[in-house]
Amino acid sequence: MNESVPWTTKQWNITGHGGFDSLKYTEQTVPNLGDNQVLVKLRGASLNFRDLMIPKGTYPFALKPNVVPGSDGAGTVLAVGKDVTRFQPGDNVVTIINPTYLGGKMCAQAASIGLGGSVDGTLRSIGAFNEQGLVAMPKGLSFTEAATLSCAGLTAWNALFGLSGKPLRAGQWVLTQGTGGVSVFAIQFAKAVGARVIATTSSAEKSELLNRLGADHVINYRENPEWGSVAKGLTDGVGVDYVVEVAGGDSMVQSVASVGLDGVICIVGNVGGPGKGLPSLLNCWTNLFTARGVWVGSRLQMEEMCQAIEANPEKLRPVIDPDVFQLEQLKEAYAYLDSGRHRGKVCINID
């Protein structure tokens, strides 16, 4: 039975750049549904480092004034516009961060439209989304688990399998950093295809999680500041095939030290800040590796990833932090993510 459509939605808006106090929670009228739009009752969302940057005023891309934040969400279709063909009421769906990036090469137009940035996002109870910016939710996952796929999951998938002609293969080495969402997904995807993983972390507690996920080796980067050379030594001096670089800054030097000839460093974030003495483009030549920037991925890649997860939901089940927040607790969730104490994705339950 299809659910009735409420008149109002509870939502957060970013009203300025004064930090998390710029987040405002209100109840608003449900938006009118366009001909190509799908009205979704959102049931789960998850947070990313990007979400912290926007209210702090450090986000480098286009922003809509008073935007509803959040790129990651999963929920149930309540109604569809008259020209919608991909979904019907009752379907469970997941959002895509770049809703017009369907496949192929990224273009400026697709890059300029980002959910929770230049267009309203997922941190609300009901939202209208273009049908092209949604995919079917993998069976076997909860709504909060599925909501982790939009950014972190898709970024990791693209990093490992998105380079044309050079996807990750069984037996190759992958180096990941920390226990954030992208890194955890990268470990899961790498192990699923038979690759070997070296993971870095800063604590014994987080090492336990990495070992449970199947990491072949774990390096404490506080105890081993030259962890790039340590990682390379673990491969008998050959070097790793893929680095999923999420920290940026000083971490980049160690990533270059770890990578092997004809390897790939996928640069997917900058949580470590600007750093000093960064590698130059000349290092790509002197060390013979490819440096590749990754901005999430396309809808086609998202669909491929969701199919893989649905085929093996236990092995590829998203790792979410034990502390799941309610929608009205969003400021607390932002602060928790900002603290770095989380293990896996920080999620929001939307009743």
Side-chain angles (χ1 to χ4, degrees), residues 32 34 43 46-47 65 73 83 89 96 166 168 187 241 264 273 282 307 351:
N32 293 325
R43 299 179 183 272
S46 72
L47 301 182
D83 294 332
I96 302 172
K166 202 173 181 178
L168 177 69
I187 295 170
D241 300 284
V264 180
L282 193 61
Q307 290 168 3
D351 293 326

Side-chain angles (χ1 to χ4, degrees), residues 96-104 106 110 149-159 162 292 294-303:
I96 302 172
I97 188 171
N98 296 120
T100 62
Y101 180 27
L102 305 186
M106 173 65 86
L149 304 178
S150 306
C151 184
L154 183 54
T155 299
W157 184 270
N158 188 3
R292 176 181 178 237
V294 175
W295 286 357
V296 200
S298 68
R299 193 185 80 192
L300 177 60
Q301 291 172 317
M302 179 86 166
E303 289 170 335

